[in-house]
């Protein structure tokens, strides 16, 4: 159904990528896998890469093959047409994932499906020729619909095998009983198809169907797999619940070689979204000689809080937990299990740590615990962070402590405390009102509770509610003591903001407080632990310039497209490194990357390392180009943009990546303990290649294109130059009690400023061919 020119382009590119991937594989010795056969688990791409492109579309299947392990299996949910032809389509109803309701407006029907009356457009009412006029589209509304204009046709299993030549094909037969009611035989279809196409797997949730075909298929060629549905649902041919059938695996073995189960059959999740102990299902099935495949793996749906929104961590829990490994995973995002299997499994605690990227915490492990608490800091250290950060605030009595915001309402229970009547307005710091750190003494602040931040709560994505108020506030002195006694850390980052306001209006010097604490901790004249001083105010950094052993980090608080040369020279005069936000490296429009900037290159050419923030695990924080996978995003910034460090509120994800981070960047020395890891070597496999910014945008047709946006500003000298810090005033707090007067946003330094406002390398070439037909 695709043009010959498109197929030739796709085939050539795909062949090159698969060969490269296979050549990257290392040869192992004893298998570390605890699967039934001892082989590595297989990746099954449900409808292709259906997490991004329309399910079962040519683009989805193509991208799955590019980004997955070389032996990945393409999954096809088979529906039968009126003329007994099979199609790959995710649901028995066609209207949700196609435009059929627009093409055949009055041809909907109402049928019984699994005993329920269901209205819609059904494949049994259309011939394959009629469906040639129907195009697939994204059927999950939380996923982007920007590719719906590409006119992807409905494919048959024959189309999938002939046009894409996948390493393996999995047919899922979900509704054999329904098609029988319409005088269509799924049994006859799959037997006939098997004479023309190699079918590697056939799954079904119906015992009778699998029994009816078992004599016609050799398990050496085609594995039959029984699909379990919800434990309380009833299997139609035995009239038993799937939960009951699960207790009789010996019976299941009589007609299948494996089972596929929802992932919570193996790792149950309680009502609060925390993991319960794993069941014995995998071990029990393996004892019966049954392979176990798990389904329902997606990156863009909330995971158990135990995984900290990290889909790689979830896969590793199923394939590398020390007790068992499932034999395969069914995923809408096959790049993620491919990386988990091919790169991250079996690394071991003694795996070598590479130099880049520097992993810098954002308020400690603030994705798992309230930021800047002892619990967040200990978790960050446990997770392998390199540099632990402390944003310094001052209490009314001048005690420096670590807290993410000067406004206590942002990260503590201050608004619900006895101090709620201390609400004040400080337009020089922020619009609106707050309860500010400098208005409470340290002893008063200690009566409050910290509160975990959930920056994406508007999407109902909350962080670790079981530890919502866990941990204690930490003084700067205690923070420095903790870091000095932790050998795994390479440095500490002290962030200083609002110094001018505190000095002039409150009578407190935050710079002096920091210098004093560093001196008392013995960190002003040592080299064992690097000290980084960060600020958006160049005048703050100038105060530390005579401390030769400190790294001064300038944070650019605007999203920029570039930096002019005179500004670069000025930054170089007071800073040793620079922090920029992610969009200053890879700008985006409605979460589609539009390209890359020269910001990193210009800074590094002036010998200024670049640290980028903020890397979060929640999928809504990432551009579509990163496939809802935090590891893909980190890898693309490190290997694609060559950034020197990542600032993250989930240090564990970045630290795990760093174990082999330099492997992707032409590492030549193979570490003996990881000799079988294909991510080691001078060429990364496709699933660990950086995205090419802007390539997804090229695949959007004009009617679906996001509205054009004005380019981000150029950073100029006026944005960087600050007035010298004022002397410390003996005056008290200048905040206005109980005022609700709002002001426009200002610089965090209370200084006026001028306002400033590889997809994989071959993906664009591959999928742009789709636009030719």
């Amino acid at each position: 159904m695709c043009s010959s020119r498109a197929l030739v382009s796709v085939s050539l590119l795909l062949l090159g990528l698969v060969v490269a991937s296979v050549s990257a594989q290392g040869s192992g010795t004893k298998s570390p896998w605890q699967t039934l056969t001892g082989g590595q688990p297989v990746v099954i791409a449900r409808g292709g890469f259906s997490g991004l492109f329309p399910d079962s579309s040519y683009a989805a299947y193509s991208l799955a093959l590019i980004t997955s392990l070389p032996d990945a299996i393409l999954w096809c949910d088979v529906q039968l047409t009126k003329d007994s032809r099979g199609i790959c389509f995710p649901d028995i109803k066609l209207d949700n994932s196609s435009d059929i309701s627009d093409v055949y407006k009055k041809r909907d029907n109402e049928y019984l499906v699994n005993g329920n009356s269901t209205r819609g457009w059904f494949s049994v009412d259309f011939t394959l020729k009629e469906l040639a006029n129907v195009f697939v589209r994204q059927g999950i509304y939380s996923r982007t619909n920007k590719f719906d204009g590409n006119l992807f046709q409905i494919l048959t299993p024959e189309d999938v095998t002939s046009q894409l030549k996948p390493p393996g094909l999995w047919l899922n037969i979900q509704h054999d009983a329904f098609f029988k009611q319409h005088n269509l035989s799924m049994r006859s279809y799959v037997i006939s198809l098997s004479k023309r196409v190699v079918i590697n797997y056939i799954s079904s949730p119906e015992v009778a169907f699998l029994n009816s075909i078992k004599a016609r298929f050799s398990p050496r060629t085609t594995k039959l797999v029984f699909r379990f549905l919800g434990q309380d649902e009833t299997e139609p041919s035995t009239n038993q619940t799937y939960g009951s059938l699960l207790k009789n695996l010996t019976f299941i073995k009589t007609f299948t070689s494996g089972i596929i189960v929802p992932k919570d059959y193996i790792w149950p999740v309680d009502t609060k979204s925390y993991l319960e102990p794993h069941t014995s299902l995998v071990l029990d099935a393996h004892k019966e000689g049954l392979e176990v495949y798990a389904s329902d793996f997606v990156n863009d749906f909330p995971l158990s809080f135990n995984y900290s929104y990290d889909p790689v961590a979830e896969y590793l829990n199923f394939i590398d937990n020390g007790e068992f490994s499932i034999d395969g995973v069914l995923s809408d995002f096959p790049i993620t299990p491919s990386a988990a299997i091919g790169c991250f499994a079996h690394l071991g605690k003694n795996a070598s740590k590479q130099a880049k990227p520097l992993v810098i915490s954002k308020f400690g492990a603030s994705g798992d615990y309230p930021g800047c608490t002892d619990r967040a800091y200990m978790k960050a250290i446990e997770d392998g962070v390199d540099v632990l950060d402390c944003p310094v605030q001052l209490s009314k009595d001048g005690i420096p402590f670590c807290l993410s915001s000067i406004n206590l309402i942002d990260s503590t229970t201050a608004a619900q405390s006895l101090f709620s009547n201390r609400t004040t307005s400080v337009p020089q710091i922020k619009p609106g009102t707050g309860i500010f750190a400098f208005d409470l003494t340290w002893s008063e602040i200690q009566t409050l509770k910290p509160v975990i931040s959930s920056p994406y709560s508007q999407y109902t994505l909350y962080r670790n509610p079981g530890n919502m108020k866990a941990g204690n506030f930490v003084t700067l002195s205690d923070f420095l003591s903790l870091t000095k006694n932790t050998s795994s850390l390479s440095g500490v980052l002290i962030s200083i903001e609002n110094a001018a306001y505190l000095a002039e209006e409150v009578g407190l010097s935050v710079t002096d407080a920091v210098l004093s604490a560093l001196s008392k901790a013995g960190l002003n004249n040592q080299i064992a632990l690097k000290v980084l001083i960060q600020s958006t105010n160049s005048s703050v950094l100038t105060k530390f310039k005579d401390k030769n052993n400190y790294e001064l980090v300038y944070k650019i608080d605007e999203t920029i497209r570039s930096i002019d040369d005179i500004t670069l020279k000025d930054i170089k005069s007071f800073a040793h490194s620079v922090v920029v936000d992610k969009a200053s490296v890879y700008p985006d429009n409605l979460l589609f990357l539009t390209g890359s900037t020269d910001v990193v290159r210009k800074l590094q050419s002036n010998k200024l390392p670049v640290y980028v923030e903020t890397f979060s695990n929640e999928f809504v924080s990432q551009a579509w180009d990163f496939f809802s996978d935090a590891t893909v995003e980190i890898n693309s910034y490190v290997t694609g943009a060559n950034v020197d460090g990542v600032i993250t509120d989930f240090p564990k994800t970045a630290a795990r990546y760093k174990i082999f981070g330099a492997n992707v960047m032409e590492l030549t020395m193979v570490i003996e303990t990881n000799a079988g890891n294909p991510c080691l070597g001078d060429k990364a496999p496709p699933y660990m290649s950086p995205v090419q910014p802007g390539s997804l945008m090229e695949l959007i047709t004009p009617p679906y294109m996001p509205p054009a946006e004005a380019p981000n500003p150029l950073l100029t000298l006026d944005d960087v130059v600050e007035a010298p810090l004022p002397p410390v005033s003996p005056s008290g707090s200048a905040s206005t009690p109980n005022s609700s007067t709002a002001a426009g946003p200002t610089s965090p330094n209370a200084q006026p400023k001028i306002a400033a406002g590889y997809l994989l390398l071959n993906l664009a070439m591959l999928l742009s061919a789709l636009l030719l037909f």
Side-chain angles (χ1 to χ4, degrees):
M1 292 186 180
C2 296
S3 71
S4 59
R5 179 164 50 167
L7 289 178
V8 170
S9 299
V10 168
S11 299
L12 289 175
L13 288 171
L14 185 57
L15 177 63
L17 285 170
V18 171
V19 170
S21 180
V22 172
S23 67
Q25 299 273 6
S27 59
T29 51
K30 183 179 178 182
S31 172
W33 296 107
Q34 295 175 289
T35 56
L36 179 65
T37 64
Q40 73 176 22
V42 297
V43 172
I44 310 142
R46 195 192 68 81
F49 208 123
S50 54
L52 182 66
F53 290 111
D55 193 305
S56 305
S57 66
Y58 186 80
Y61 283 132
S62 298
L63 182 58
L65 292 178
I66 295 173
T67 59
S68 303
L69 287 165
D71 59 351
I73 309 297
L74 296 186
W75 169 285
C76 165
D77 283 295
V78 181
Q79 318 299 335
L80 289 180
T81 64
K82 187 177 182 178
D83 50 346
S84 297
R85 300 292 299 276
I87 60 171
C88 295
F89 201 84
D91 190 70
I92 195 169
K93 287 178 56 182
L94 304 182
D95 41 305
N96 186 51
S97 298
S98 79
D99 64 353
I100 195 168
S101 61
D102 298 324
V103 178
Y104 300 108
K105 294 182 184 296
K106 297 182 179 180
R107 291 184 60 178
D108 55 322
N109 259 314
E110 189 168 346
Y111 295 123
L112 283 177
V113 181
N114 296 333
N116 298 313
S117 182
T118 306
R119 176 163 287 279
W121 282 255
F122 293 84
S123 62
V124 297
D125 294 324
F126 300 89
T127 66
L128 183 62
K129 184 176 180 180
E130 288 176 307
L131 293 180
N133 301 315
V134 175
F135 302 110
V136 295
R137 64 187 180 190
Q138 181 57 256
I140 298 178
Y141 298 135
S142 60
R143 293 174 178 172
T144 181
N145 69 342
K146 295 300 183 184
F147 306 112
D148 288 356
N150 284 284
L151 306 182
F152 297 126
Q153 291 183 301
I154 294 174
L155 301 177
T156 66
E158 293 95 329
D159 292 331
V160 173
T161 56
S162 64
Q163 297 174 10
L164 293 152
K165 296 179 172 52
L169 178 66
W170 186 310
L171 301 184
N172 181 56
I173 313 300
Q174 197 74 8
H175 298 287
D176 175 58
F178 172 82
F179 291 110
K180 279 182 179 177
Q181 296 169 12
H182 294 270
N183 299 314
L184 295 169
S185 174
M186 189 67 79
R187 178 182 183 274
S188 297
Y189 170 74
V190 296
I191 291 173
S192 173
L193 179 67
S194 68
K195 297 174 182 178
R196 306 185 302 275
V197 168
V198 175
I199 305 171
N200 303 89
Y201 299 84
I202 299 174
S203 62
S204 176
E206 299 181 20
V207 171
F209 172 75
L210 292 172
N211 266 318
S212 74
I213 66 171
K214 67 178 182 180
R216 302 299 297 269
F217 288 91
S218 166
R220 289 189 298 273
T221 303
T222 304
K223 294 181 179 181
L224 302 186
V225 180
F226 182 58
R227 186 177 192 184
F228 282 82
L229 303 182
Q231 297 203 33
D232 295 330
E233 294 185 58
T234 301
E235 194 282 319
S237 50
T238 63
N239 206 32
Q240 296 183 54
T241 66
Y242 289 97
S244 297
L245 288 170
L246 189 66
K247 299 174 183 176
N248 193 356
L249 293 176
T250 302
F251 167 65
I252 303 297
K253 177 63 177 173
T254 63
F255 59 90
T256 68
S257 59
I259 59 175
I260 182 168
V261 299
K263 61 186 181 183
D264 60 6
Y265 271 52
I266 300 169
W267 282 99
V269 178
D270 65 21
T271 57
K272 295 181 180 179
S273 292
Y274 288 94
L275 289 178
E276 296 179 343
H278 68 75
T279 67
S280 63
L281 184 150
V282 177
L283 295 174
D284 293 343
H286 282 174
K287 286 178 183 177
E288 293 289 343
L290 288 166
E291 292 183 319
V292 181
Y293 305 90
S295 64
D296 300 346
F297 286 95
V298 295
N299 292 2
D300 58 349
F301 190 79
L303 308 176
S304 165
F305 290 117
N306 298 76
Y307 300 126
S308 301
Y309 291 100
D310 182 351
V312 172
E314 181 181 37
Y315 286 110
L316 290 174
N317 205 32
F318 282 81
I319 64 172
D320 185 22
N321 57 53
E323 297 184 50
F324 62 82
S325 172
I326 60 175
D327 301 276
V329 296
L330 177 62
S331 175
D332 291 16
F333 296 82
I335 189 173
T336 305
S338 294
I341 294 167
C343 296
F344 294 106
H346 313 125
L347 287 177
K349 293 182 179 179
N350 296 321
S352 178
K353 205 175 188 180
Q354 309 306 323
K356 286 181 68 173
L358 196 66
V359 179
I360 305 170
S361 69
K362 184 76 170 182
F363 318 140
S366 56
D368 295 303
Y369 290 99
C372 301
T373 60
D374 54 349
R375 296 287 294 274
Y377 287 137
M378 291 303 298
K379 181 67 165 60
I381 293 169
E382 175 188 329
D383 290 344
V385 74
D386 296 313
V387 176
L388 204 62
D389 76 307
C390 170
V392 175
Q393 313 300 338
L394 288 181
S395 65
K396 187 175 183 178
D397 47 348
I399 304 297
F401 65 100
C402 305
L403 198 64
S404 59
S405 173
I406 195 171
N407 182 3
L408 299 175
I409 292 177
D410 294 340
S411 54
T412 77
T413 56
Q416 296 80 40
S417 72
L418 296 174
F419 311 115
S420 59
N421 61 347
R422 298 201 194 177
T423 303
T424 58
S425 173
V426 186
Q428 300 95 318
I429 293 179
K430 61 168 288 182
T433 59
I435 301 173
F436 294 93
F438 51 78
D439 282 333
L440 273 68
T441 65
W442 175 238
S443 60
E444 290 174 326
I445 291 170
Q446 287 180 290
T447 66
L448 305 174
K449 289 285 187 182
V451 176
I452 199 168
S453 170
S454 291
Y456 303 103
S457 58
Q458 70 268 34
Y459 302 101
T460 66
L461 299 178
Y462 299 95
R463 292 180 170 178
N464 203 8
N467 287 289
M468 174 67 70
K469 299 179 181 179
N472 300 301
F473 301 116
V474 176
T475 65
L476 177 57
S477 175
D478 290 338
F479 170 82
L480 295 175
S481 295
L482 169 67
T483 57
K484 280 182 62 180
N485 295 322
T486 305
S487 59
S488 62
L489 290 175
S490 62
V492 294
L493 184 148
I494 310 298
S495 178
I496 301 173
E497 300 298 344
N498 305 299
Y501 178 85
L502 290 171
E504 190 169 32
E505 304 294 342
V506 185
L508 295 172
S509 174
V510 62
T511 54
D512 288 347
V514 168
L515 284 166
S516 176
L518 289 170
S519 176
K520 289 179 181 177
L523 294 176
N524 56 337
N525 290 305
Q526 54 83 53
I527 57 173
L529 193 67
K530 181 185 291 186
V531 176
L532 296 84
I533 306 294
Q534 174 184 293
S535 183
T536 59
N537 190 330
S538 57
S539 297
V540 168
L541 299 181
T542 302
K543 291 277 288 186
F544 292 82
K545 196 171 181 181
D546 62 340
K547 303 294 182 181
N548 295 330
N549 56 328
Y550 293 170
E551 179 179 334
L552 305 183
V553 185
Y554 181 56
K555 179 178 177 179
I556 299 174
D557 56 353
E558 299 93 358
T559 298
I560 59 173
R561 72 174 188 272
S562 189
I563 310 173
D564 64 29
D565 291 340
I566 191 171
T567 305
L568 277 169
K569 184 177 180 181
D570 188 64
I571 293 174
K572 179 73 174 176
S573 70
F574 61 80
H576 305 121
S577 55
V578 176
V579 170
V580 298
D581 65 10
K582 292 190 296 186
S584 294
V585 181
Y586 292 145
D588 71 271
N589 185 354
L590 294 183
L591 294 180
F592 283 94
L593 299 185
T594 57
S596 59
T597 70
D598 63 1
V599 170
V600 175
R601 180 185 60 78
K602 279 196 165 186
L603 289 167
Q604 290 178 342
S605 67
N606 282 267
K607 296 183 171 49
L608 290 165
V610 182
Y611 311 136
V612 180
E613 66 174 12
T614 301
F615 289 85
S616 298
N617 283 0
E618 289 94 341
F619 53 90
V620 294
S621 71
Q622 299 143 16
W624 296 110
D625 304 64
F626 301 125
F627 311 132
S628 302
D629 185 334
T631 300
V632 173
E633 181 180 44
I634 292 169
N635 181 47
S636 296
Y637 276 86
V638 175
T639 66
N642 195 35
V643 304
D644 299 281
V646 295
I647 300 172
T648 174
D649 33 23
F650 292 93
K652 186 173 185 178
T653 300
R656 183 189 59 218
Y657 170 81
K658 184 175 176 174
I659 288 177
F660 64 92
N663 304 331
V664 186
M665 302 175 69
E666 301 183 357
L667 180 69
T668 56
M669 181 180 67
V670 175
I671 302 170
E672 182 178 353
T673 56
N674 293 320
N677 190 335
C679 297
L680 292 170
D682 61 354
K683 289 185 179 180
Y687 44 85
M688 283 306 296
S689 298
V691 306
Q692 183 65 37
S695 55
L696 270 189
M697 184 74 84
E698 293 179 12
L699 300 176
I700 302 175
T701 55
Y704 288 85
M705 191 67 71
E709 293 182 339
N712 292 322
L714 177 75
L715 190 74
T716 66
L717 201 58
D718 289 335
D719 301 310
V720 173
V721 173
E722 304 276 5
L725 290 181
V728 175
S729 167
S731 63
S733 174
S735 53
T736 306
N738 302 316
S739 169
S740 60
T741 303
T746 61
S747 161
N749 309 303
Q751 298 288 323
K753 278 191 174 184
I754 294 177
Y758 291 112
L759 270 175
L760 302 165
L761 184 59
N762 291 309
L763 178 60
M765 295 173 59
L766 173 69
L767 295 181
S768 62
L770 296 170
L771 304 179
L772 300 177
F773 67 95

